[in-house]
Amino acid sequence: METGPPEGRKGPAPRELPPAVGLLLSMALMNVVLYLCLDRLVTVPRGPAEHPGRCPPGHFSMEQVTTCSPWLSCEQLRTEVRPLKRVGEGAVKTKCARTAVWGSCSPASGGRTAGPGRASFQLLLFQPKSRKSMTVLKRVPCVQPFLFVVSSAPFKVFLSEWKERKVALSRLTRPEVRDDFLHGLQMLRALQSEHVVTLLGYCEDDNTILTEYHPLGALGNLEATLSLAKYRSLNTWQHRLQLALGYVAVLDFLHRSPLGTLVMCDSSDLPKTLSQYLLTANFSIVLNDLDALPLVNRSSGALVKCGHRELRGDFVAPEQLWPFGEDVPFQDDLMPAYDEKTDIWKIPDVSSFLLGHVEGSDMVRFHLFDIHKACKSQVPAERPTAQAVLNAYQKVLNLLRDTATSQTREML
């Protein structure tokens, strides 16, 4: 009689994997996970999220708040908004007159003569009610015997508090420029979008405007901001290229705005241009100054001119310069008008500032060379549209992101 194997008898014990094989399998699994999640590891900023459910006209929502509220009324601005301290003011305005009020034009030492009756002058701003202390603001061309009237800033900006949130309260201080102030308000109301600073409320009776507060300030503060320890990790070509892309996106919005084709006229030099934009906490760009956005109407043949004074320098587009030579005194009524392609000319210079001189920025400049060369065409009609520049920037960003991704995968 055969005896079966004892009940519960086990088969041969399984062989254990050598430690080296287990380590290799773990490393292979880790590489697969890294490969699949590489887009999360290679961080290229995608820019601020679009606003699929933006608030309806006359309403606003602030960051991290999904609900929409109506613009604050005069009564709410007076009772609910508490000014804390002054943080800024509007630009100093100048105009020509036969007598100077707080400033004057005086011949600059060594200034060259630019034709009959035209010379290089220094614009001097006097301390109010005293000529004992003078500060030179800038050198400007002045046609004798006219002098420049220098007046105080048209409005002041106060860091304020509303419902425990920091906001910016702008208050007009010079009633004689109220029309400009109201025009800026009108444009701010009409152009509310992700590209423009958020309007929270206004009161025409009190000449006040309330907007969202951006503590990083104007775009010209970029280098100082990125030098802070808190933001040093953002000082990369990826983030800087995203800023440049955001700047072009604002121009594209203006050139195809709900009101028509608008030209960014407050852009006679680089510092002036940068002062028109704010840097947000998530490192995007919003337009803050909208009081000089004339409309191009091609159907009626209406072009624009940015101001009534002569523009100089390489920053402005060639068609913005006086075309009749140094021997002919500047006359505003003889100055030809132009269109939005003046904004395109300035893109390479603004982008160069935004890209800075960090590791990788020269590589970005190399890839942007062709589109920037097109932007600098002497013939305005041959320059690309802002939308075409935006598309080119996006292609470069995608290309460099894919290149960085491929290089990282090869290293794994």
Side-chain angles (χ1 to χ4, degrees):
M1 180 174 175
E2 295 183 4
T3 305
E7 191 174 345
R9 184 175 179 180
K10 299 180 179 179
R15 296 177 58 187
E16 295 183 358
L17 291 176
V21 176
L23 180 61
L24 289 175
L25 289 175
S26 299
M27 292 180 64
L29 180 61
M30 183 179 297
N31 277 349
V32 171
V33 174
L34 288 174
Y35 188 89
L36 294 176
C37 301
L38 197 56
D39 284 341
R40 295 179 180 272
L41 296 176
V42 181
T43 305
V44 176
R46 306 282 180 168
E50 293 295 322
H51 298 258
R54 289 195 62 86
C55 294
H59 294 70
F60 71 91
S61 65
M62 301 179 70
E63 287 188 1
Q64 302 176 347
V65 177
T66 57
T67 58
C68 294
S69 303
W71 286 335
L72 301 187
S73 64
C74 288
E75 183 63 24
Q76 289 174 300
L77 290 178
R78 294 165 186 159
T79 60
E80 299 179 14
V81 178
R82 183 168 64 95
L84 301 177
K85 64 177 180 178
R86 195 177 80 178
V87 293
E89 58 185 19
V92 173
K93 302 294 183 180
T94 62
K95 63 180 180 179
C96 277
R98 290 191 178 275
T99 57
V101 178
W102 295 116
S104 70
C105 284
S106 59
S109 56
R112 65 180 180 85
T113 300
R118 295 191 345 145
S120 177
F121 282 78
Q122 285 184 341
L123 178 60
L124 304 180
L125 176 63
F126 300 115
Q127 181 179 351
K129 299 183 181 180
S130 171
R131 291 176 179 255
K132 294 181 180 179
S133 176
M134 297 185 293
T135 303
V136 177
L137 293 181
K138 60 181 178 180
R139 188 183 299 271
V140 297
C142 191
V143 180
Q144 297 177 348
F146 287 88
L147 301 176
F148 275 90
V149 175
V150 183
S151 52
S152 60
F155 65 89
K156 292 180 171 57
V157 183
F158 297 88
L159 170 62
S160 305
E161 190 175 58
W162 174 70
K163 292 188 176 180
E164 299 182 352
R165 289 182 173 275
K166 296 297 187 293
V167 292
L169 180 68
S170 300
R171 181 174 295 159
L172 182 68
T173 57
R174 287 177 50 213
E176 64 270 22
V177 294
R178 187 171 187 269
D179 289 344
D180 294 337
F181 186 78
L182 293 179
H183 174 70
L185 171 60
Q186 179 185 2
M187 300 297 287
L188 184 59
R189 293 172 54 187
L191 296 175
Q192 283 296 286
S193 74
E194 64 268 26
H195 302 295
V196 176
V197 66
T198 301
L199 175 64
L200 308 181
Y202 63 93
C203 180
E204 293 187 15
D205 293 341
D206 298 342
N207 297 323
T208 56
I209 299 175
L210 191 71
T211 56
E212 194 165 14
Y213 176 64
H214 296 287
L216 297 183
L219 189 56
N221 298 330
L222 178 63
E223 294 298 336
T225 298
L226 290 175
S227 67
L228 300 176
K230 181 179 180 180
Y231 300 105
R232 206 163 290 158
S233 63
L234 301 178
N235 194 17
T236 64
W237 69 262
Q238 292 97 328
H239 286 90
R240 285 176 171 270
L241 177 56
Q242 189 65 59
L243 283 175
L245 195 148
Y247 163 71
V248 179
V250 174
L251 292 182
D252 181 43
F253 169 73
L254 292 178
H255 294 177
R256 299 188 296 153
S257 82
L259 302 179
T261 301
L262 302 174
V263 180
M264 188 67 192
C265 265
D266 274 340
S267 56
S268 56
D269 54 47
L270 180 60
K272 179 66 173 178
T273 302
L274 298 173
S275 70
Q276 308 303 300
Y277 301 86
L278 294 176
L279 186 62
T280 69
N282 64 351
F283 261 68
S284 61
I285 294 175
V286 292
L287 180 61
N288 184 53
D289 194 338
L290 295 85
D291 62 356
L293 297 173
L295 176 68
V296 172
N297 190 336
R298 285 192 171 79
S299 60
S300 64
L303 300 179
V304 305
K305 287 192 289 187
C306 293
H308 303 286
R309 292 192 289 118
E310 182 179 2
L311 298 176
R312 292 176 175 267
D314 297 331
F315 185 80
V316 297
E319 63 269 26
Q320 292 183 282
L321 301 174
W322 178 243
F324 300 114
E326 297 287 352
D327 294 334
V328 180
F330 176 81
Q331 296 183 51
D332 180 52
D333 57 341
L334 297 181
M335 179 68 197
Y338 34 82
D339 61 17
E340 77 280 3
K341 290 302 182 73
T342 57
D343 291 337
I344 305 300
W345 171 274
K346 300 162 188 174
I347 287 177
D349 298 300
V350 177
S351 289
S352 181
F353 168 82
L354 296 176
L355 290 174
H357 299 284
V358 297
E359 182 179 357
S361 62
D362 288 340
M363 171 187 61
V364 176
R365 286 185 175 88
F366 172 78
H367 285 281
L368 293 176
F369 177 82
D370 289 339
I371 190 64
H372 282 175
K373 181 179 179 181
C375 291
K376 290 293 187 179
S377 172
Q378 293 289 320
V379 181
E382 295 179 357
R383 296 172 203 153
T385 63
Q387 185 179 22
V389 179
L390 185 63
N391 292 339
Y393 273 45
Q394 189 63 60
K395 288 180 181 179
V396 169
L397 180 61
N398 293 340
L399 172 66
L400 295 178
R401 180 178 61 236
D402 294 342
T403 300
T405 300
S406 299
Q407 291 175 346
T408 306
R409 284 174 177 167
E410 291 174 1
M411 294 172 58
L412 293 177

